[in-house]
Amino acid sequence: MQSLQEKAAEWSGVDAEDAFAIDGTNLYEKLGLQTFISLSTNFYERVYADEEEWFRSIFSKSKKEDAIQNQYEFFVQRMGGPPLYSQRKGHPALIGRHRPFPVTHRAAERWLNHMQQALDATSDIDLDSKTKMLNFFRHTAFFLVAGDELKNQNQAAPCKNCKHPGKHAAV
Amino acid sequence: MQSLQEKAAEWSGVDAEDAFAIDGTNLYEKLGLQTFISLSTNFYERVYADEEEWFRSIFSKSKKEDAIQNQYEFFVQRMGGPPLYSQRKGHPALIGRHRPFPVTHRAAERWLNHMQQALDATSDIDLDSKTKMLNFFRHTAFFLVAGDELKNQNQAAPCKNCKHPGKHAAV
């Protein structure tokens, strides 16, 4: 059986070495806190204004300000900065925390499209940093698609009562 | 609704500030790679020899050597060392990767009991480091119990066919 990592690499086209090249440098020290805040702000401005209702609705239960803070705190922590996210919310637990959301291949591509545009719109991100971040984001997005499929496996478990094999409602 | 973090703090008795005090120092630099390898080896020697079959069986699908490597690579990465785990396996995704296992309150307590003994049996871990690590482990163990309960919520979704409210088999 393919591992989460192998699925992420295959679907994203970004292998682990390129995805985790972010660890070979300290992007937080290089770019600074304000750049990460701007990036996440640019990103969610786009997401919450997305013309596609199916995509926009994935985020509709969270306030935009909270989504921005959650994201930039995670990025800062993961890219060499202080552990802002864990101090406030605990382990990133990326798959567990994405559990309520339908992280499909299509959603991953649309997320990445907004992120590419947000990166381009954020000044002070040099090309090398941008490439490293995009590789990390792309691999991670499909890692979460792989994580989402674990959930679907569970939903498809047959009912013990009637043996119905169909999917059950996600909670 | 309580967050994962709030449940972890309540059930473990260790709040986030104490749990993530590991980030206030660099335990990897202080203790060194070999100490982490010894700790995880001591830990899994105990786990795989546990007299309680219900607990031992949780680990029975993994080889002991693999369990040791997965654990010390994660600890090294999380406590200030090189990102050994992500380079080999990707995101820790603690909740997602514990999904196949029944992470109950009872299992968490037994895991922690073995870990306490493993810490005591590993030389070169000073008392301050030991306290920090135990707080981190205790909070994290119950964070995973909270994560496990998300899975149970899903299993309890009623069957769409017959409306049977009972739990469905975990995959």
Side-chain angles (χ1 to χ4, degrees):
Chain A
M1 200 178 72
Q2 269 190 313
S3 68
L4 291 165
Q5 173 90 315
E6 286 162 350
K7 286 184 187 169
E10 182 184 326
W11 294 340
S12 68
V14 179
D15 64 24
E17 193 179 339
D18 287 334
F20 294 102
I22 59 160
D23 290 321
T25 179
N26 189 318
L27 290 172
Y28 173 76
E29 282 179 6
K30 195 169 178 184
L31 302 174
L33 176 62
Q34 189 52 53
T35 300
F36 285 97
I37 296 176
S38 298
L39 175 63
S40 294
T41 304
N42 284 336
F43 173 74
Y44 278 112
E45 291 292 349
R46 283 170 167 74
V47 165
Y48 279 77
D50 192 315
E51 63 194 17
E52 294 282 349
E53 203 274 335
W54 69 267
F55 185 77
R56 208 173 58 237
S57 69
I58 297 173
F59 304 86
S60 61
K61 284 190 182 162
S62 302
K63 284 188 197 160
K64 187 161 64 178
E65 313 86 86
D66 294 340
I68 291 169
Q69 187 182 10
N70 289 341
Q71 188 185 78
Y72 80 71
E73 286 190 354
F74 170 67
F75 288 173
V76 163
Q77 169 167 328
R78 189 60 189 81
M79 299 189 196
L84 302 178
Y85 187 89
S86 288
Q87 283 167 354
R88 194 169 59 87
K89 301 204 62 169
H91 293 282
L94 287 179
I95 292 175
R97 293 191 194 267
H98 281 81
R99 189 186 173 83
F101 311 111
V103 187
T104 60
H105 288 253
R106 189 168 73 137
E109 288 293 2
R110 199 158 183 94
W111 190 102
L112 287 163
N113 188 270
H114 286 300
M115 183 51 82
Q116 166 87 62
Q117 290 183 52
L119 281 162
D120 289 341
T122 306
S123 52
D124 303 324
I125 306 185
D126 59 285
L127 186 60
D128 180 64
S129 300
K130 200 184 282 188
T131 303
K132 283 193 170 75
M133 289 167 86
L134 262 179
N135 281 335
F136 174 77
F137 294 145
R138 188 161 182 87
H139 182 94
T140 301
F142 284 95
F143 180 86
L144 291 175
V145 175
D148 194 73
E149 295 200 343
L150 298 175
K151 182 173 77 181
N152 294 333
Q153 280 172 6
N154 217 23
Q155 286 173 35
C159 174
K160 277 189 176 173
N161 189 42
C162 72
K163 312 295 180 197
H164 182 243
K167 298 206 173 196
H168 300 112
V171 174
Chain B
M1 199 177 70
Q2 268 190 312
S3 68
L4 291 166
Q5 173 91 314
E6 285 162 351
K7 286 184 186 169
E10 183 183 325
W11 294 340
S12 68
V14 179
D15 64 23
E17 193 180 339
D18 287 333
F20 294 103
I22 59 161
D23 290 321
T25 178
N26 188 319
L27 290 172
Y28 173 77
E29 282 178 7
K30 194 170 180 184
L31 302 174
L33 176 63
Q34 188 53 53
T35 301
F36 286 97
I37 295 176
S38 299
L39 174 64
S40 294
T41 304
N42 285 335
F43 173 74
Y44 278 113
E45 291 292 350
R46 283 169 166 74
V47 166
Y48 278 77
D50 193 315
E51 62 193 17
E52 294 282 352
E53 202 275 335
W54 68 267
F55 185 77
R56 208 173 58 238
S57 70
I58 297 173
F59 304 86
S60 61
K61 284 191 182 161
S62 301
K63 285 188 198 158
K64 187 161 65 178
E65 312 86 85
D66 294 341
I68 291 168
Q69 187 182 10
N70 289 341
Q71 189 185 75
Y72 81 70
E73 286 189 355
F74 170 67
F75 288 173
V76 162
Q77 170 168 328
R78 188 61 190 79
M79 299 190 196
L84 302 179
Y85 187 89
S86 288
Q87 283 166 353
R88 195 168 59 86
K89 301 203 59 166
H91 293 282
L94 287 178
I95 292 175
R97 293 191 194 266
H98 282 81
R99 187 185 174 84
F101 311 111
V103 188
T104 61
H105 288 255
R106 190 168 71 137
E109 288 294 1
R110 199 158 183 94
W111 190 102
L112 288 162
N113 188 269
H114 285 301
M115 184 52 83
Q116 167 87 63
Q117 290 183 52
L119 282 162
D120 289 341
T122 306
S123 52
D124 304 323
I125 306 186
D126 60 285
L127 186 60
D128 180 64
S129 300
K130 201 184 283 189
T131 303
K132 284 194 170 77
M133 288 166 86
L134 262 178
N135 281 335
F136 173 77
F137 295 145
R138 191 166 178 83
H139 182 94
T140 301
F142 286 95
F143 180 86
L144 291 176
V145 175
D148 194 73
E149 295 200 344
L150 298 176
K151 180 173 76 180
N152 294 334
Q153 281 173 8
N154 216 26
Q155 284 172 33
C159 174
K160 279 191 173 171
N161 188 43
C162 71
K163 310 295 181 198
H164 183 243
K167 297 206 174 195
H168 301 112
V171 174

